[in-house]
Structures are given as structure tokens and as C-alpha cells.
């Protein structure tokens, strides 16, 4: 844990400075172009990181679970957010003034290294995920995302899909129609079951094969 490197006084100061805010599903946590004044991390819930293209289309970069610092990828290099973050589920975000985090950097080298290491790993994960998706065909991309929700987000074969087919399409670089058709094919082949927004992965082995060979 990043904050475990702090001494008792710094931890107490952090608790005094920390603010928690609840966001409802669909609410913007931070918007591309806004000035960065806080260090934020997700305590509970689920969020997506995205940006707008020149034509106004939404480009989903990643979807992530609690305890990751997705809103902070630019805090030490930019004055304004380069990406937007919104809640996919009701979420709680903890915020600390950026000036306070920078002061901890100067006082505690261990904390600085730990935080930079965490941010670097998140950045590497996003790059790796993007490259993995790009190397796959349509079926492989949809299979990859379903496995991502199954293993990394919910750790369950049965879950409520937190995103629309359009958001999945934005994430994997395909059209909504293709995503809908592919999921329908998976359903016909007995790989998944679909009950409204609820997905059940029935044949994990086959889904893994499609993802790997895609």
C-alpha cells in the first residue's frame, strides 16, 4: 500500500486533509481540460477513463476498480487533466490537495518512490491492455473484455455488465453493431448466457481460446 511508507504524523495529516465524495452512476469525477488541484483515488465503485476525439466521439481508455489512481496519470506533468473519469457504478472517491501530496514527496522519499511505482504500473497496464486488444480480431476483443470483467473486475462468472454495448465498442475500437452481433453469437454457441444486463460466462475455456486466438 502506497501510504504505508508514511510516519504516524503524516498519516494523521493525510486523514485531516482527505475528503471523501460520493458519485452516482454516470456522474463525472473529473473532466478533460479541468485544472488539476487534487490527488484522487477510488475507494469503492467502478470508473472509466476516457477522452473525446476531435469529432466528439468518446474513446474509452480503461475501466478500473477501487484503489487505483487513474485520475492521477498527469498530475506531475500537466496542469490540466488530459482525460475524463466518470462513475460506472455508484462510487466513492477520496481527494487530497495536490500541494499536500507534493509536500509529502519532499519529506518522504519512500512514499515518492512507492507512489511513482504504482502510477507507473497503472500506466504500463493500460498500454499493455491497449496493445493486447489491438492485436485481436472482433471475436477476440469481445472475449478479452468479458474475461476482463470476469477476472479482474468482479472475480465472478456472473455479473451485471456495467457498461453499454456502445461503451464496449468504444473500448475495443469496434462498432456497436459488431459487439451486439458477437455477443449474440457467443450466446448461441453456449459460451455465455445473457439475462438483460446480467452476463454469465458458461464456457470459460472456450472464451479463453477465442481471446487468445483472436
Amino acid at each position: 500500500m502506497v501510504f504505508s511508507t508514511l510516519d504516524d504524523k503524516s498519516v494523521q495529516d493525510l486523514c485531516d486533509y482527505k475528503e471523501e465524495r460520493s458519485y452516482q452512476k454516470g456522474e463525472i469525477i473529473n473532466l478533460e481540460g479541468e485544472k488539476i488541484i487534487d490527488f484522487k483515488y477510488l475507494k469503492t465503485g467502478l470508473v472509466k477513463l476516457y477522452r473525446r476525439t476531435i469529432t466528439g466521439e468518446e474513446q474509452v481508455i480503461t475501466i478500473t476498480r477501487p484503489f487505483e489512481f487513474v485520475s492521477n496519470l498527469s498530475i506531475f506533468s500537466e496542469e490540466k487533466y488530459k482525460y475524463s473519469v466518470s462513475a460506472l457504478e455508484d462510487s466513492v472517491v477520496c481527494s487530497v490537495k495536490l500541494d499536500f501530496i507534493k509536500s509529502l514527496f519532499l519529506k518522504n522519499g519512500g512514499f515518492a518512490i512507492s507512489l511513482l511505482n504504482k502510477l507507473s504500473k497503472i500506466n504500463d497496464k493500460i498500454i499493455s491492455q491497449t496493445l493486447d486488444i489491438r492485436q485481436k480480431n472482433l471475436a477476440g476483443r469481445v472475449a478479452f473484455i468479458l474475461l476482463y470483467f470476469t477476472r479482474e473486475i468482479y472475480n465472478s462468472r456472473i455479473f451485471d455488465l456495467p457498461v453499454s454495448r456502445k461503451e464496449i465498442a468504444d473500448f475495443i475500437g469496434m462498432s456497436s453493431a459488431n459487439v451486439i452481433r458477437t455477443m449474440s453469437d457467443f450466446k448461441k454457441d453456449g459460451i455465455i448466457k445473457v439475462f438483460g444486463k446480467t452476463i454469465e460466462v458458461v464456457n470459460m475455456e472456450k472464451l479463453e481460446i477465442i481471446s487468445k486466438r483472436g
Side-chain angles (χ1 to χ4, degrees):
M1 181 64 180
V2 170
F3 300 115
S4 63
T5 59
L6 299 176
D7 57 39
D8 291 343
K9 184 179 184 309
S10 294
V11 170
Q12 184 58 54
D13 289 343
L14 179 66
C15 291
D16 291 340
Y17 275 89
K18 182 183 71 175
E19 294 183 1
E20 290 189 4
R21 180 177 171 185
S22 298
Y23 293 86
Q24 294 183 343
K25 180 179 178 178
E27 194 171 357
I28 303 294
I29 295 171
N30 57 255
L31 192 63
E32 181 180 353
E34 285 182 341
K35 186 175 181 180
I36 303 173
I37 59 173
D38 296 310
F39 173 90
K40 299 176 181 177
Y41 66 94
L42 182 65
K43 184 177 180 182
T44 62
L46 190 70
V47 300
K48 68 176 178 180
L49 178 72
Y50 65 98
R51 69 175 183 178
R52 294 285 179 185
T53 64
I54 295 175
T55 58
E57 291 294 311
E58 189 175 290
Q59 205 171 34
V60 178
I61 299 165
T62 193
I63 294 167
T64 191
R65 61 194 185 282
F67 307 116
E68 295 205 348
F69 309 107
V70 290
S71 66
N72 303 297
L73 297 179
S74 305
I75 61 173
F76 299 115
S77 61
E78 303 288 340
E79 292 186 354
K80 296 181 179 180
Y81 289 112
K82 297 184 70 175
Y83 313 100
S84 298
V85 177
S86 66
L88 290 172
E89 300 174 347
D90 291 349
S91 303
V92 175
V93 173
C94 293
S95 299
V96 183
K97 291 300 180 186
L98 184 56
D99 287 344
F100 178 71
I101 294 295
K102 288 180 177 179
S103 73
L104 291 179
F105 259 54
L106 296 175
K107 296 175 185 176
N108 189 319
F111 169 73
I113 291 172
S114 181
L115 179 55
L116 290 174
N117 182 55
K118 178 67 174 178
L119 293 175
S120 178
K121 285 182 177 180
I122 293 170
N123 198 38
D124 288 345
K125 174 186 170 183
I126 292 172
I127 293 172
S128 176
Q129 189 180 72
T130 301
L131 293 175
D132 284 345
I133 290 172
R134 285 182 180 177
Q135 292 173 354
K136 301 179 185 297
N137 61 21
L138 173 59
R141 294 184 186 196
V142 175
F144 179 92
I145 293 304
L146 290 175
L147 288 171
Y148 179 66
F149 283 123
T150 300
R151 290 172 170 166
E152 297 196 36
I153 300 297
Y154 295 111
N155 193 29
S156 172
R157 290 189 180 209
I158 302 175
F159 55 89
D160 287 343
L161 198 63
V163 291
S164 66
R165 305 302 193 263
K166 174 68 166 58
E167 286 171 312
I168 292 176
D170 291 336
F171 194 3
I172 65 176
M174 294 290 180
S175 71
S176 299
N178 282 336
V179 171
I180 293 169
R181 186 177 67 250
T182 302
M183 290 187 69
S184 179
D185 290 342
F186 286 175
K187 183 179 177 181
K188 290 177 183 177
D189 293 340
I191 299 171
I192 63 172
K193 290 181 180 179
V194 182
F195 312 94
K197 292 204 73 173
T198 302
I199 304 290
E200 179 182 355
V201 177
V202 179
N203 194 328
M204 181 74 79
E205 183 178 354
K206 197 164 185 180
L207 198 63
E208 288 172 343
I209 291 171
I210 294 171
S211 177
K212 289 177 181 177
R213 292 181 179 176

